[in-house]
Amino acid sequence: MESMFRDRVTTSEIELRKVRKDGSVFWIRERSKLILDAMGTPVGLNTICRDITQLKQVEEQLRQNAFHDPLTGLPNRVLFMDRLQLAIEHHKRHPEDFFRRFVSRFRPLLKSLTIV
């Protein structure tokens, strides 16, 4: 909030993840507006906090439904294609990483087959 006064930012909005003493998580959305006097000098701050825990839970459920099979919970084709695209882009930027990652990921299998 100090930065709003210092930088003269008139409005801000932020979502914060909080943890209660019992370990449960809740989310709040904090909207703030800088109050200025007639000369444009900051004289106060108006802040509204709203519990958005249910909204975050619904967003997470939508994300789960979009990328996982509802019956098995396993990743679906959309998630696979997304991760594959990320891997291809990473390989284009760092071609040397592919072989190292491949070998390290499949080393136990290769050892069991006495290939490595």
Side-chain angles (χ1 to χ4, degrees), residues 37-53:
D37 65 9
M39 301 294 290
T41 306
V43 293
L45 188 65
N46 184 1
T47 302
I48 299 172
C49 293
R50 180 174 170 215
D51 185 343
I52 58 168
T53 304

Side-chain angles (χ1 to χ4, degrees), residues 16-20 23-28 51-53:
L16 302 167
R17 180 183 180 270
K18 301 283 191 171
V19 180
R20 294 185 181 97
S24 61
V25 173
F26 68 102
W27 286 85
I28 61 169
D51 185 343
I52 58 168
T53 304

Side-chain angles (χ1 to χ4, degrees), residues 22-100:
D22 66 2
S24 61
V25 173
F26 68 102
W27 286 85
I28 61 169
R29 177 176 292 138
E30 183 178 289
R31 290 182 179 164
S32 299
K33 181 175 181 178
L34 192 59
I35 301 169
L36 306 173
D37 65 9
M39 301 294 290
T41 306
V43 293
L45 188 65
N46 184 1
T47 302
I48 299 172
C49 293
R50 180 174 170 215
D51 185 343
I52 58 168
T53 304
Q54 286 183 326
L55 176 65
K56 288 294 188 178
Q57 290 169 344
V58 168
E59 286 176 358
E60 181 56 35
Q61 187 61 50
L62 285 171
R63 201 172 1 269
Q64 175 72 19
N65 292 347
F67 295 118
H68 293 81
D69 180 83
L71 183 61
T72 64
L74 295 172
N76 64 15
R77 174 177 269 170
V78 174
L79 183 59
F80 172 75
M81 295 304 287
D82 177 61
R83 297 299 151 78
L84 180 60
Q85 185 63 38
L86 289 174
I88 291 169
E89 290 170 8
H90 179 81
H91 174 66
K92 287 177 182 176
R93 290 189 310 272
H94 309 284
E96 68 284 354
D97 282 354
F98 177 76
F99 182 73
R100 190 181 77 243

